[in-house]
Amino acid sequence: MITDDLIATFRTAQAAFTERVHAVADDQWELGTPDEQWTVADLLWHLVDEHRWTRPLLAGLDLDQAGAVAAGLGPDSRDGATLVREWDRAAASSAAAFGADGALTGSVAISRGRVPASEYLEEMILDLVVHAWDIGSAIGYQRPLPASAVAGIYPLAQVIVDRTPRGMFGPPAQADADMPLIDRLVALTGRRPR
């Protein structure tokens, strides 16, 4: 996928995730999600933290340095209103960082070593799409994910899952070829399609 397409897909996926974050009701933060280790609040905190790392990683900092920057960007809170506010800040920061001139020309340090920045972006897109599905499923959100984001990342999804360290995704779930694309996508990550 070319850089402009990746950036557009990222923005669409991030907007879809944000839409679902803002739809979480006060009594839904402790609901379980299809990612069984996390509640809705835990899952959102994971994305807040992940997107706080984007700017320092793209600036060339190593994992320890980027982690220190990310830790200083705001509270580690599971309170719903705080989470939403911190998500909006982290999302704006990561979108600006990925959209900056030359942001995808270098490499970044992630847990498995240095990778091309475009590869890092692909993984962030998959994470946004899958976790948007997780939150939507948990809270009963009915609006479908944007077809362009799902179709944009689906051709890369198997490669991303294959290069991701073991334990990050469960074994693929059963998905038939005639199922909707989003169902086949989430099945690759070990989730059971709805």
Side-chain angles (χ1 to χ4, degrees), residues 8 10 14 31 43 45 83 85 127 161 177:
F10 173 81
Q14 192 181 64
L31 293 176
L43 191 150
W45 167 247
L83 279 169
R85 183 176 61 251
D127 216 40
V161 169

Side-chain angles (χ1 to χ4, degrees), residues 31-166:
L31 293 176
T33 69
D35 191 333
E36 296 173 358
Q37 64 182 333
W38 286 328
T39 64
V40 172
D42 294 333
L43 191 150
L44 180 52
W45 167 247
H46 163 68
L47 269 288
V48 167
D49 187 49
E50 185 174 73
H51 283 252
R52 285 177 175 172
W53 285 68
T54 304
R55 187 178 295 276
L57 288 176
L58 288 173
L61 299 185
D62 66 26
L63 285 176
D64 290 338
Q65 294 166 329
V69 170
L73 293 177
D76 175 356
S77 171
R78 300 303 191 275
D79 168 71
T82 303
L83 279 169
V84 172
R85 183 176 61 251
E86 293 303 316
W87 165 252
D88 288 342
R89 287 181 184 158
S93 176
S94 65
F98 278 125
D101 287 342
L104 300 182
T105 59
S107 64
V108 297
I110 61 174
S111 58
R112 67 173 187 277
R114 290 202 75 81
V115 301
S118 59
E119 192 172 296
Y120 172 51
L121 177 56
E122 292 167 1
E123 293 174 16
M124 294 289 277
I125 293 167
L126 180 63
D127 216 40
L128 283 164
V129 171
V130 170
H131 288 320
W133 183 87
D134 287 336
I135 287 184
S137 297
I139 69 171
Y141 193 79
Q142 296 300 313
R143 190 169 176 192
L145 284 159
S148 63
V150 176
I153 199 60
Y154 183 77
L156 301 170
Q158 187 64 61
V159 172
I160 295 168
V161 169
D162 289 346
R163 72 185 180 217
T164 302
R166 293 188 97 124

